[in-house]
Amino acid sequence: MIRLATRYDIPRLLEIVEAYAFENPIKVLGKQENHDPVYVEQLLFSIIKGKGFIYIDKGLRGAIIAVKQQNVWCPKVKELHELLWWVEPEYRNGTLGGRLWKAFDEVGTEMLNRGDVDLIVTSVSSNGPWVDYTKRDYEAVSASFVKE
């Protein structure tokens, strides 16, 4: 079962965020000295309280985190960004990841239809599976490259 996270899930969400950072292809994110659990806890709490949303599964094996923010250049434009999509490695060959993303997409589409946001942003990580979001009504608009 997929459900919205609550403040009581924050300790587990902190573990998920840290695991995500260590597995992220951007090496500097995996350095322990760059982690700030207090900051992340405050961010997660603000997202749960309305700055976005977090879906988790009943077994706390995965999560998807989304945040609502204004566009950097056009502050009247409201965007919903997928920040993190994580499934524990031993559950990645199942349906959990897809169910989490489906919850993100359904809520994001509802927000889009209500006018709460003007656009939804999701992404593909270079170390994750390829997902063709164009089959889900998303348009490819950019690619990111990192130099460390």
Side-chain angles (χ1 to χ4, degrees), residues 84-115:
L84 174 148
W85 181 18
W86 173 262
V87 174
E88 290 294 334
E90 60 270 25
Y91 297 97
R92 292 183 184 167
N93 290 326
T95 62
L96 178 55
R99 290 183 290 131
L100 287 165
W101 192 87
K102 184 177 178 189
F104 159 80
D105 183 55
E106 287 174 353
V107 172
T109 300
E110 289 171 10
M111 293 173 74
L112 192 62
N113 292 339
R114 283 194 312 262

Side-chain angles (χ1 to χ4, degrees), residues 110-125:
E110 289 171 10
M111 293 173 74
L112 192 62
N113 292 339
R114 283 194 312 262
D116 295 341
V117 296
D118 300 301
L119 59 99
I120 305 167
V121 180
T122 190
S123 61
V124 177
S125 178

Side-chain angles (χ1 to χ4, degrees), residues 14-15 45 53 71 98 115 120 131 134 138 148:
L14 285 169
E15 294 171 355
F45 189 73
F53 57 85
N71 180 276
I120 305 167
V131 179
T134 62
Y138 287 78
E148 293 187 79

Side-chain angles (χ1 to χ4, degrees), residues 15 40 43 47 54 60 80 86-88 99 123 137 145:
E15 294 171 355
V40 175
L43 176 62
I47 291 170
I54 303 172
L60 304 176
L80 180 69
W86 173 262
V87 174
E88 290 294 334
R99 290 183 290 131
S123 61
D137 296 326
F145 298 85

